[in-house]
């Protein structure tokens, strides 16, 4: 089978009409192979195999075959030669046990219980279980398993225990799939796109693979941490882009697959579908599975949606107008494919509006086109032939309009969909007339998915790749891996305009937040050359976190991390000498309040002051309570390391009614 951006191709269609697919067997460890044919159909496509552990002569397959015609995506049972096949003589002869074969290109996984070859599992939209060797099947809906099942592992020591991987996460069963436990206590979200609002604390809204759109807080003032229950489902199928209404915090625009746009009111729960549709008898619009949706930074309430055209939506998305022609290559061989909609092709995949100039929009398509308009869509300039040869014809993954210069934009080019694993990241400083590579020393085998420029410092860049998050402080010449993320695809990056926090959306490990990237913004040649340096800290707010039940719920409840409570202090160490770093805090009147001592590592370090007086400055008997937080005011923090000293002011405020020292 072959997956292109515009098609699924399998069987003879993928091999110039020759019927080459099938099941093969080797008796010499893979040195030679022969095709097995007795009892098997012709014109085979995708298939799954399993061999019985308890009786290796039993082999089973769930296979796709167009012998007699093909079927629809919704067919659970094959109308042709496909289905479940069983061999009891090591594959020499086969018998068709059942026509069961749900969406073979997408699924095709079969598993035999290691202790009993009569118990068989086939994965599909749900789990199919047979207890008679594949002749009859029951659909296992116990516990309401999330649809689209892709992985199943059976514990060889306890075959009643199953681990199941779905589009909604992991499940575990201890009774051969009669009941299931949802393993929802670890971060496994597959986010595509995210947006941030200006609430306090700010909210994050995002869409997940086959798991709806969601909105939730970036932090909570509870020791419980951020729980699943703190998030609100906004509906949809596969979730993608979200936009907060700038005038009503209870209204959010969300997008599901193929450009279906919804306006959700959190007060009433009303959701309205608002996708642009052509008039009767007109050419249909095309939208990608993950169509771009952005809110205007210049015109409050205006939205832009990308399909084969660019659409401008107004009046709470009730009205729309097309502001571009078809911006794709318009290749008729690649724009019409039957399937789920994930094969839609020849459409705008990325949109960006310049924060610096009204009417300046950028658009990139999945079939290699790049466009710009400087007048809100009245005229568009095709920039495709200005791209470097290495980027032409590839999927334009993401365009970032610079927040500092209207003529500057950044382009992340997706390469893996074309079978190339290259890091292609480009920059233009002249509205797309010329482009330069900013891939620098990014790992060569990591396709770049998204680029963002820091809104507070020009040239500070962040890049999400198929394998992690990277940062460059010199405009893309040198890159370093950022933070302690696992090896995971980073699909989106957003930087909060007020708080400065960086939020990374990963496709598999949910959301990560860098609460304060200030050190990266301030890190330059001057700071890097110093022995030690204390970065200007963000203002701190004194409050007491609510207790909750964090200490009694064990690990059965998922909890995301809150930012550290208190004041976070970042400092730079050029070289580690083994000496500890010391930070002294003085109050508004110059009186000593607290001391922090910790090991010093080369690079950026972090220390947290809990906004309480340290024991060095407390009376052991008869003094004020050690648990009282310090009073509001301007404090002074001084870093001492070796012969170097660095001093910064720290603003401390307190929530109303809080008792302070």
């Amino acid at each position: 089978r072959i997956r292109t951006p515009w098609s699924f191709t399998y069987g003879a269609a993928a091999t110039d009409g020759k019927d080459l697919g099938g099941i093969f067997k080797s008796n010499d460890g893979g040195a030679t192979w022969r095709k097995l044919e007795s009892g098997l159909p012709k014109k085979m496509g995708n298939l799954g195999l399993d061999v019985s552990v308890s009786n290796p002569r039993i082999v089973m397959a769930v296979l796709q075959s167009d012998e007699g015609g093909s079927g629809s995506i919704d067919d659970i049972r094959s109308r042709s030669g496909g289905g479940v096949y069983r061999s009891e003589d090591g594959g020499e002869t086969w018998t068709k046990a059942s026509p069961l074969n749900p969406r073979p290109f997408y699924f095709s996984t079969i598993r035999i219980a290691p202790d009993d070859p009569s118990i068989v599992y086939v994965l599909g939209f749900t789990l199919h279980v047979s207890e008679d060797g594949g002749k009859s099947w029951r659909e296992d809906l116990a516990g309401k398993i999330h649809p689209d099942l892709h992985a199943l592992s059976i514990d060889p020591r306890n075959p009643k225990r199953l681990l199941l991987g779905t589009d909604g996460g992991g499940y575990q069963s201890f009774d051969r799939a009669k009941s299931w436990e949802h393993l929802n206590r670890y971060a496994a979200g597959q986010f595509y796109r995210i947006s941030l609002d200006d609430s306090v604390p700010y909210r994050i809204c995002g869409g997940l693979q086959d798991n709806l759109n969601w909105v939730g807080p970036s932090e909570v003032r509870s020791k419980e941490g951020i729980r699943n229950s703190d998030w609100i489902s906004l509906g949809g199928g596969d979730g993608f882009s979200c936009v907060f209404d700038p005038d009503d915090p209870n209204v959010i625009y969300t997008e599901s697959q193929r450009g279906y746009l919804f306006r959700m009111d959190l007060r009433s729960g009303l959701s309205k579908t608002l996708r642009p549709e052509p008039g009767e008898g007109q050419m249909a619009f095309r939208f990608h599975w993950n169509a771009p949706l952005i809110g205007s930074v210049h015109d409050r309430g205006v939205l832009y949606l990308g399909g084969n055209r660019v659409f401008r939506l107004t009046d709470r998305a009730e009205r729309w107008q097309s502001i571009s022609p078809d911006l794709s290559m318009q290749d008729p061989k690649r724009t019409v494919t039957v399937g789920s909609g994930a094969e839609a092709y020849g459409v705008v995949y990325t949109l960006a509006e310049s924060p610096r100039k009204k009417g300046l929009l950028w658009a990139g398509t999945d079939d290699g086109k790049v466009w710009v308009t400087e007048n809100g869509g009245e005229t568009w300039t095709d920039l495709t032939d200005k791209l470097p040869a290495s980027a032409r014809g590839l999927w334009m993954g993401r365009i970032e309009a610079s927040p500092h210069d209207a003529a500057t934009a950044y382009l992340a080019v997706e390469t893996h969909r074309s079978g190339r694993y290259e890091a292609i990241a480009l920059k233009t400083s002249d509205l797309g007339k010329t482009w330069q590579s900013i891939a620098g020393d990014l790992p060569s085998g990591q396709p770049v998915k998204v680029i963002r420029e820091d809104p507070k410092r020009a040239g500070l860049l962040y890049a999400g790749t198929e394998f992690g998050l990277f940062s460059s402080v010199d405009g893309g010449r040198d890159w370093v891996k950022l933070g302690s993320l696992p090896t995971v695809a980073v699909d989106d990056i957003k930087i909060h305009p007020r708080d400065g926090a960086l939020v990374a959306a990963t496709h598999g490990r949910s959301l990560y937040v860098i609460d304060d990237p200030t050190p990266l913004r301030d890190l330059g040649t001057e700071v890097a050359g110093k022995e030690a340096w204390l970065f200007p800290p963000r203002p701190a707010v004194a409050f007491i976190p609510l207790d909750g039940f964090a200490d009694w719920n064990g690990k059965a409840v998922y909890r995301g991390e809150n930012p550290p409570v208190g004041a976070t202090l970042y400092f730079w160490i050029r070289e580690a000498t083994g000496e500890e770093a010391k930070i002294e805090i003085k109050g508004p009147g110059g009186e000593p309040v607290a001391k922090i001592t910790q090991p010093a590592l080369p690079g950026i370090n972090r220390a947290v002051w809990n906004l309480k007086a340290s024991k060095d400055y407390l009376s052991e008997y008869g003094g004020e309570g050690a648990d009282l937080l310090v009073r509001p005011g301007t404090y002074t923090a001084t870093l001492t390391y070796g012969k170097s000293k660095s001093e910064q002011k720290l603003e401390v405020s307190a929530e109303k009614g809080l008792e302070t020292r």
Side-chain angles (χ1 to χ4, degrees):
R1 60 176 179 160
I2 297 174
R3 175 69 165 106
T4 69
W6 57 88
S7 71
F8 295 147
T9 309
Y10 62 89
T15 53
D16 296 326
K18 299 176 183 177
D19 187 11
L20 302 179
I23 302 174
F24 295 77
K25 181 178 181 179
S26 173
N27 288 323
D28 53 14
T32 59
W33 294 86
R34 60 188 175 90
K35 189 173 183 178
L36 305 177
E37 298 182 291
S38 180
L40 291 171
K42 306 292 185 182
K43 299 183 178 180
M44 278 190 265
N46 194 33
L47 58 87
L49 281 170
D50 201 18
V51 180
S52 170
V53 174
S54 58
N55 181 0
R57 291 184 61 78
I58 296 177
V59 186
M60 295 192 70
V62 56
L63 59 86
Q64 179 182 29
S65 168
D66 283 353
E67 188 177 64
S70 59
S72 115
I73 187 176
D74 298 318
D75 287 341
I76 301 300
R77 295 175 177 269
S78 173
R79 301 181 189 179
S80 56
V84 175
Y85 284 74
R86 185 179 178 97
S87 171
E88 299 193 353
D89 57 6
E92 298 302 322
T93 59
W94 295 80
T95 302
K96 186 173 183 177
S98 166
L100 178 70
N101 193 19
R103 198 183 177 193
F105 193 95
Y106 193 53
F107 297 114
S108 293
T109 294
I110 188 169
R111 293 288 180 266
I112 305 171
D115 61 329
D116 186 347
S118 66
I119 299 176
V120 188
Y121 306 92
V122 165
L123 275 58
F125 300 103
T126 185
L127 182 64
H128 303 269
V129 183
S130 174
E131 295 175 343
D132 57 10
K135 297 175 184 176
S136 62
W137 300 84
R138 62 180 170 86
E139 294 182 3
D140 200 314
L141 297 175
K144 295 184 179 179
I145 300 169
H146 194 291
D148 289 12
L149 282 53
H150 296 289
L152 178 67
S153 179
I154 307 172
D155 189 340
R157 298 161 298 180
N158 176 16
K160 291 184 178 181
R161 181 186 178 220
L162 311 177
L163 287 175
L164 180 66
T166 80
D167 276 3
Y171 291 81
Q172 182 170 234
S173 174
F174 288 94
D175 53 13
R176 291 196 198 269
K178 292 183 175 63
S179 63
W180 292 93
E181 173 195 10
H182 188 198
L183 302 176
N184 63 349
R185 47 189 179 266
Y186 59 93
Q190 294 176 297
F191 276 91
Y192 282 105
R193 300 290 183 268
I194 55 171
S195 294
L196 315 176
D197 79 346
D198 58 0
S199 301
V200 180
Y202 65 88
R203 295 178 297 172
I204 305 170
C205 187
L208 296 97
Q209 154 65 28
D210 204 12
N211 221 11
L212 317 178
N213 295 284
W214 293 79
V215 62
S218 56
E219 63 178 282
V220 295
R221 290 192 170 179
S222 167
K223 295 177 183 177
E224 282 273 15
I226 308 167
R227 302 164 301 174
N228 291 332
S229 57
D230 292 314
W231 284 68
I232 301 171
S233 169
L234 302 174
D238 291 76
F240 297 105
S241 297
C242 298
V243 176
F244 291 95
D245 190 294
D247 298 314
D248 190 340
N250 290 298
V251 172
I252 303 175
Y253 301 91
T254 66
E255 188 242 333
S256 194
Q257 61 259 50
R258 293 176 289 168
Y260 278 98
L261 178 65
F262 304 90
R263 187 181 67 228
M264 180 73 174
D265 191 319
L266 298 179
R267 290 164 301 202
S268 65
L270 177 65
S271 178
K272 188 170 184 179
T273 305
L274 299 164
R275 186 176 84 156
E277 298 290 355
E280 184 177 1
Q282 303 300 306
M283 291 292 292
F285 299 144
R286 300 190 307 277
F287 293 92
H288 197 270
W289 187 258
N290 180 2
L293 174 71
I294 61 173
S296 174
V297 296
H298 298 288
D299 297 312
R300 293 180 71 85
V302 170
L303 302 171
Y304 294 100
L305 176 67
N308 59 320
R309 301 168 178 263
V310 177
F311 301 91
R312 186 177 189 267
L313 293 84
T314 57
D315 298 329
R316 304 180 80 214
E318 294 278 355
R319 298 177 181 274
W320 63 267
Q321 66 177 127
S322 171
I323 61 168
S324 82
D326 190 321
L327 296 180
S328 72
M329 291 284 190
Q330 302 181 53
D331 183 347
K333 297 179 181 179
R334 297 182 176 184
T335 55
V336 181
T337 303
V338 175
S340 66
E343 307 78 36
Y345 188 69
V347 291
V348 173
Y349 184 75
T350 178
L351 272 175
E353 181 190 42
S354 170
R356 306 297 301 177
K357 181 180 178 182
K358 183 177 179 179
L360 177 55
L361 297 168
W362 301 82
T365 72
D366 56 2
D367 57 1
K369 303 282 277 185
V370 177
W371 301 80
V372 67
T373 176
E374 297 183 67
N375 50 22
E378 291 182 22
T379 57
W380 290 81
T381 301
D382 188 350
L383 306 173
T384 308
D385 62 355
K386 308 297 183 183
L387 295 173
S390 60
R392 292 180 191 172
L394 298 180
W395 188 302
M396 298 299 126
R398 205 75 60 86
I399 293 178
E400 163 81 343
S402 172
H404 302 282
D405 176 43
T408 297
Y410 301 89
L411 179 62
V413 181
E414 292 261 17
T415 57
H416 80 279
R417 287 181 170 93
S418 301
R420 291 165 55 182
Y421 290 83
E422 303 173 35
I424 299 182
L426 304 172
K427 175 185 177 180
T428 179
S429 300
D430 53 13
L431 287 174
K433 296 181 181 66
T434 60
W435 296 84
Q436 300 79 39
S437 173
I438 55 166
D441 56 357
L442 280 171
S444 59
Q446 297 195 19
V448 183
K449 301 178 75 67
V450 59
I451 300 170
R452 299 287 183 212
E453 185 176 26
D454 193 279
K456 297 186 178 182
R457 180 188 157 183
L460 173 55
L461 304 178
Y462 305 98
T465 77
E466 284 285 348
F467 301 99
L469 177 65
F470 294 81
S471 177
S472 172
V473 298
D474 55 14
R477 186 179 68 240
D478 302 294
W479 294 87
V480 294
K481 196 165 186 179
L482 190 60
S484 55
L485 274 68
T487 301
V488 65
V490 175
D491 268 14
D492 203 4
I493 300 168
K494 284 293 189 322
I495 302 161
H496 197 275
R498 182 194 66 222
D499 295 3
L502 182 148
V503 185
T506 78
H507 201 81
R509 297 301 298 274
S510 201
L511 302 172
Y512 287 82
V513 177
I514 298 177
D515 297 297
D516 184 12
T518 296
L520 293 173
R521 297 177 182 131
D522 292 346
L523 189 61
T525 304
E526 182 180 345
V527 171
K530 295 180 181 293
E531 181 184 14
W533 175 259
L534 181 64
F535 294 99
R538 288 198 305 179
V541 180
F543 69 93
I544 300 173
L546 301 173
D547 280 335
F549 289 93
D551 294 332
W552 295 278
N553 281 336
K555 295 183 179 180
V557 177
Y558 175 76
R559 298 183 182 90
E561 292 179 275
N562 282 314
V565 176
T568 304
L569 303 167
Y570 291 93
F571 58 94
W572 165 261
I573 298 296
R574 190 179 62 199
E575 293 182 26
T577 62
E579 185 178 351
E580 291 187 317
K582 300 178 179 64
I583 298 177
E584 184 176 30
I585 311 292
K586 291 184 179 180
E591 71 282 6
V593 176
K595 282 183 179 179
I596 303 171
T597 302
Q598 67 180 51
L601 301 174
I604 298 172
N605 295 252
R606 183 176 79 170
V608 177
W609 176 38
N610 62 5
L611 300 184
K612 297 178 181 180
S614 60
K615 63 180 181 179
D616 307 86
Y617 305 111
L618 288 174
S619 172
E620 189 172 353
Y621 301 102
E624 285 193 280
D627 289 333
L628 287 179
L629 297 168
V630 298
R631 68 184 185 276
T634 301
Y635 288 73
T636 303
T638 303
L639 167 70
T640 302
Y641 182 73
K643 297 180 180 179
S644 295
K645 284 193 175 185
S646 179
E647 182 180 293
Q648 298 288 352
K649 298 297 182 182
L650 168 64
E651 297 295 331
V652 176
S653 62
E655 292 292 5
K656 186 177 180 180
L658 186 69
E659 184 181 359
T660 59
R661 296 181 61 85

